[in-house]
Amino acid sequence: MNKILRGLLSLLLIFCCIFAVCACDSPAAPTEENNGLEEPAELSTVCLNVAENLSSSDQSKKVFRTRNRTFVRNNGLACDLTCSGIAFNVLCKGEMRVKFTTDADVYFTVYIDGVRRQERLLVEKEKSGTFIAVAQFDSYGAREIAIIKQSQYPMALCEINEVEISGSFGQRPAQSERFLEFYGDSVLNGSNIYTGGTSVKTSDGTLAFGYLAALSLQADCNIVGRGGMGLYPKDTSTEGMNEIWDRCGTARGNGSPYYDFGRMPDAVVVELGNNDYLSDSYTDERYTQSIKEMVLNLRSVYGEDVKIIWCYGYHSLVNAKWGVAKKALDGLNENGSILYCPLPNCALSKEDGGDGYHPNVEMSADIAAALAEFIGKNIYGDQ
């Protein structure tokens, strides 16, 4: 795929993920699935506790499908990592409400039948523990809903507790046959993607390159990491990937549970290195050892032949030490399972309104298009 086609794909990703009108604001035309559905004379209000439903021993009663690594906390589904959340099917009309608990303001993206809602869902700390209107449907119909966290775990620790609708819940959404896992820093987690300085308001992991690439490839994904993260801690205030790679969130404080690694990914994508180079304690030897440990950690849970895609080219800091990184990776690549993926520049300059480190929405779409092309060709054999 040449640069022109990649640019068109980037524009398509932006259009689909940003400018699409939400189905709940303007209900889509009935699909074949909805045709012939007769609205009951009276709709019952149904409320399900997400964590309780997921813990049911009867698989046929489970209606929620988790996204990314999650766990149960405070009788709710903890969504600490960026791009964690739930998906479910409904047959309903009227207002859909969700109860969240959160220790800080946090943003979510709502998808309805795969279409991203234009308005970001803000869950304010002061409304923690109360029901919030997530969507309003003027017509009775079947819909698939996904509620996905935009924010990073240092910004907010939160739970999805209950979902309330007028109608009925449908069959649990199926898993995709494709599954990717991503490990990365602020670029992967959407820091400052709306520009204006990194904050919960300007960050959105659901528009960052990893999640967009997975969406375009129709793959489920795990997004692991946070802003400021290196392979090892940059400083005492920031965790390193060596601390959380096997967790469902933070490793500090009470810590999050360990991940079970129960699903084998088609490939693991690593986007790390910027913050290692920024660390005052950086040395080539430490960087080399950190890279080796990351690869060996992944192989310890996924096997020697797991495909690892190591990203480079997207930032001057990574590029400055790419020779060191590649030498370390080459020494572990006798079986050819490590692939090197060049990505476009991710740093929007200060002159152009950025901070010199992070991409905006358009640049993230460019990176996503390049990565999706690489994965499609090298992992899935897509033409």
Side-chain angles (χ1 to χ4, degrees):
M1 185 182 296
N2 57 33
K3 292 184 178 179
I4 295 176
L5 290 176
R6 183 181 295 168
L8 290 173
L9 179 56
S10 300
L11 291 173
L12 181 61
L13 283 168
I14 296 171
F15 178 81
C16 293
C17 296
I18 297 293
F19 301 111
V21 178
C22 176
C24 64
D25 293 329
S26 300
T31 63
E32 289 184 6
E33 183 181 1
N34 289 346
N35 285 339
L37 290 177
E38 183 177 348
E39 180 179 343
E42 184 175 345
L43 290 174
S44 300
T45 298
V46 181
C47 185
L48 288 182
N49 180 287
V50 176
E52 290 179 1
N53 180 261
L54 286 167
S55 64
S56 173
S57 59
D58 186 346
Q59 294 295 320
S60 67
K61 292 183 178 180
K62 291 185 178 181
V63 301
F64 298 105
R65 176 72 65 183
T66 59
R67 300 301 188 206
N68 206 352
R69 300 179 181 183
T70 56
F71 60 99
V72 174
R73 179 179 60 210
N74 300 330
N75 199 36
L77 184 74
C79 297
D80 289 356
L81 294 172
T82 312
C83 301
S84 56
I86 55 173
F88 53 97
N89 288 306
V90 292
L91 186 59
C92 68
K93 180 181 178 180
E95 188 174 71
M96 174 183 294
R97 305 197 307 158
V98 178
K99 181 188 288 187
F100 299 87
T101 49
T102 182
D103 65 358
D105 291 354
V106 59
Y107 284 91
F108 284 81
T109 299
V110 178
Y111 299 88
I112 300 176
D113 292 331
V115 179
R116 178 190 177 99
R117 185 180 182 186
Q118 186 174 358
E119 181 182 357
R120 304 170 73 192
L121 176 64
L122 171 62
V123 181
E124 297 174 292
K125 180 181 179 181
E126 64 182 25
K127 294 183 179 179
S128 177
T130 65
F131 279 96
I132 296 173
V134 168
Q136 175 70 38
F137 301 107
D138 296 332
S139 61
Y140 180 72
R143 301 168 176 94
E144 181 171 329
I145 311 296
I147 302 172
I148 309 296
K149 187 185 180 190
Q150 298 181 1
S151 310
Q152 302 168 41
Y153 69 78
M155 298 174 176
L157 300 178
C158 60
E159 296 85 35
I160 303 176
N161 300 92
E162 299 176 57
V163 179
E164 182 184 89
I165 60 169
S166 294
S168 59
F169 287 89
Q171 188 175 9
R172 190 184 197 190
Q175 286 186 338
S176 171
E177 294 182 357
R178 295 179 170 186
F179 177 51
L180 300 167
E181 194 160 64
F182 297 84
Y183 295 83
D185 55 30
S186 54
V187 179
L188 177 67
N189 285 271
S191 293
N192 202 28
I193 202 166
Y194 295 118
T195 70
T198 297
S199 68
V200 68
K201 188 175 182 180
T202 63
S203 300
D204 184 350
T206 65
L207 286 177
F209 77 92
Y211 195 72
L212 288 187
L215 283 180
S216 69
L217 292 165
Q218 297 182 318
D220 293 340
C221 67
N222 284 344
I223 304 289
V224 184
R226 55 160 289 180
M229 180 161 281
L231 290 155
Y232 267 72
K234 182 175 67 174
D235 51 46
T236 57
S237 67
T238 306
E239 294 160 294
M241 187 58 74
N242 66 309
E243 294 180 74
I244 75 153
W245 72 277
D246 56 353
R247 298 268 191 165
C248 295
T250 182
R252 299 187 176 179
N254 293 329
S256 62
Y258 289 97
Y259 180 56
D260 64 9
F261 294 98
R263 189 178 181 189
M264 179 71 183
D266 303 312
V268 174
V269 180
V270 180
E271 176 272 312
L272 288 166
N274 278 342
N275 293 299
D276 293 275
Y277 189 56
L278 287 172
S279 171
D280 292 337
S281 60
Y282 175 87
T283 64
D284 286 354
E285 292 74 20
R286 186 183 185 188
Y287 191 36
T288 296
Q289 184 58 37
S290 301
I291 290 170
K292 289 181 177 179
E293 183 174 333
M294 182 72 191
V295 172
L296 294 177
N297 281 339
L298 293 172
R299 287 177 173 174
S300 73
V301 293
Y302 290 133
E304 292 291 321
D305 295 327
V306 61
K307 295 294 184 182
I308 299 174
I309 299 173
W310 205 279
C311 301
Y312 72 98
Y314 55 92
H315 199 284
S316 59
L317 295 175
V318 170
N319 297 341
K321 290 298 179 180
W322 175 234
V324 176
K326 190 172 186 301
K327 182 179 179 180
L329 292 165
D330 283 345
L332 299 166
N333 202 24
E334 291 183 359
N335 63 358
S337 63
I338 302 175
L339 308 177
Y340 307 128
C341 178
L343 294 178
N345 172 51
C346 77
L348 183 65
S349 68
K350 294 180 180 179
E351 292 76 12
D352 292 328
D355 58 14
Y357 293 101
H358 302 108
N360 60 10
V361 172
E362 291 78 11
M363 294 174 75
S364 285
D366 287 340
I367 301 169
L371 180 60
E373 177 189 352
F374 185 92
I375 295 174
K377 177 181 178 181
N378 291 281
I379 302 300
Y380 295 124
D382 296 343
Q383 300 299 318

